[in-house]
Amino acid sequence: MDAKQIYEKVQERYGSAAKESSGEYAHVVAKAFGYSEEELTTIPKDANLGLSCGNPLALAKLGEGETVIDLGSGAGFDIFLAAKMVGAHGRAIGVDMNKDMLERANRNREAALANNVSFIESAITAIPLPDGSAHCIISNCVVNLVPEQEKQLAFNEMFRLLKPGGRVAISDILTRKDLPKELKENMALYVGCIAGASRIKDYERYLQEAGFQDILIVDSKHDLNVYTDVNKDGSRDFCCGSGKQLSYCKNGSSCCGEDLTGNRLENSAEQYKGFDFNEWAGSFKIYAVK
């Protein structure tokens, strides 16, 4: 799999997501992955795009005055919640490589008058911040999108950016068993957070090799099929983070238009209707300390 091609497709997919209306789909998905109604009503309405697979803030235990960095911050969903936790004397920094997402996030920041929030355009494998910048790093359903050959770089960067004693609190999709070749090479499932997911033992190894200790990886038991069970118009769908994914696929977009080898997959959305994602993968909570 070519990393450049993967990044291009991820950029294309999430650039489209940044232009969508969040709607009821995003609200239902967020609640299914552990966010409370109170949390969802205290952030800008356009920050939640239904891209989560868990709630990393439940693990992060952020305190007043801390600096937190969100890797793959999207429209700002988690970072606006984190900003309230660290308070006016803390800093909440979102990192995302997608210009459309950052544009939406900055509009949300202005609307929320969130003076302790800032956003950086960057891949999460090389972030232009100094060593020891943060007390905590969070991420929500993003590390699985990093190409396999670059995943270790992302964990190394987390370690570099943390202060001594700092922690990572991540929600991510991990695989329970090796995926068949046809699933691993399906671009729809890649940008949908499944095909690029690591095995549990590999995720632990990445953390260890980066230097982390006290590693905890726990299955959150959330139902991944929520992505197919809920849609804005009541129809069924698939692909992490889009209530309009089926319409994109029918129109021939790249999400469902081809696999990682370039083969056309015009009927990918229909092909995986009824597919039980929970058999192959799960939503996991990951915690580790520097």
Side-chain angles (χ1 to χ4, degrees):
M1 291 184 292
D2 179 75
K4 181 180 179 182
Q5 180 194 15
I6 290 172
Y7 278 127
E8 288 174 351
K9 298 304 182 183
V10 169
Q11 285 271 40
E12 182 180 340
R13 170 65 201 97
Y14 288 90
S16 296
K19 298 173 183 177
E20 296 175 17
S21 172
S22 53
E24 183 64 18
Y25 170 84
H27 192 86
V28 173
V29 168
K31 291 193 73 173
F33 286 119
Y35 292 90
S36 69
E37 188 70 32
E38 180 181 1
E39 287 175 312
L40 297 177
T41 56
T42 59
I43 59 172
K45 64 181 181 66
D46 290 334
N48 177 18
L49 299 180
L51 300 174
S52 54
C53 64
N55 183 352
L57 296 171
L59 286 174
K61 304 297 182 184
L62 296 174
E64 286 275 344
E66 288 193 316
T67 296
V68 56
I69 299 174
D70 182 8
L71 303 187
S73 52
F77 182 33
D78 287 312
I79 208 65
F80 288 116
L81 290 170
K84 296 178 183 296
M85 297 176 181
V86 300
H89 297 293
R91 294 182 64 201
I93 304 169
V95 178
D96 205 285
M97 68 178 185
N98 189 281
K99 292 181 183 296
D100 293 313
M101 281 292 184
L102 290 168
E103 182 179 343
R104 185 162 180 163
N106 278 306
R107 288 200 306 269
N108 288 332
R109 180 179 59 83
E110 293 173 5
L113 300 177
N115 295 325
N116 63 341
V117 173
S118 60
F119 293 99
I120 294 173
E121 181 181 345
S122 175
I124 66 172
T125 53
I127 301 169
L129 285 171
D131 295 358
S133 292
H135 298 89
C136 183
I137 289 176
I138 61 173
S139 186
N140 196 339
C141 214
V142 170
V143 178
N144 63 73
L145 295 172
V146 177
E148 187 69 30
Q149 57 268 44
E150 295 190 7
K151 276 193 168 67
Q152 186 64 59
L153 297 177
F155 291 94
N156 293 348
E157 194 69 344
M158 295 178 206
F159 191 84
R160 182 187 72 81
L161 290 173
L162 283 172
K163 300 177 184 295
R167 69 272 187 202
V168 292
I170 300 172
S171 292
D172 209 359
I173 292 178
L174 306 182
T175 56
R176 305 184 189 282
K177 53 187 177 181
D178 290 339
L179 298 178
K181 186 173 184 289
E182 63 269 22
L183 299 186
K184 289 286 289 184
E185 293 182 349
N186 188 307
M187 181 56 76
L189 292 183
Y190 198 102
V191 300
C193 308
I194 302 294
S198 300
R199 295 175 300 178
I200 298 168
K201 64 180 182 180
D202 289 334
Y203 215 91
E204 183 174 19
R205 176 172 54 82
Y206 291 139
L207 287 162
Q208 290 174 338
E209 291 189 2
F212 286 102
Q213 302 177 10
D214 300 328
I215 299 168
L216 181 65
I217 301 177
V218 178
D219 191 341
S220 67
K221 306 294 184 182
H222 293 309
D223 182 9
L224 295 187
N225 292 322
V226 68
Y227 298 127
T228 67
D229 290 340
V230 182
N231 208 336
K232 297 174 187 176
D233 59 4
S235 62
R236 290 176 61 82
D237 199 346
F238 96 107
C239 284
C240 167
S242 173
K244 293 183 177 178
Q245 189 61 49
L246 184 56
S247 64
Y248 288 151
C249 295
K250 285 182 175 178
N251 291 334
S253 85
S254 62
C255 174
C256 293
E258 60 188 46
D259 63 19
L260 294 178
T261 63
N263 296 320
R264 296 299 298 174
L265 290 169
E266 299 289 357
N267 298 317
S268 291
E270 294 299 332
Q271 179 183 358
Y272 292 104
K273 290 286 190 178
F275 182 85
D276 185 4
F277 293 108
N278 299 310
E279 177 185 352
W280 298 94
S283 166
F284 283 78
K285 298 181 287 189
I286 300 101
Y287 184 88
V289 178
K290 178 174 178 177

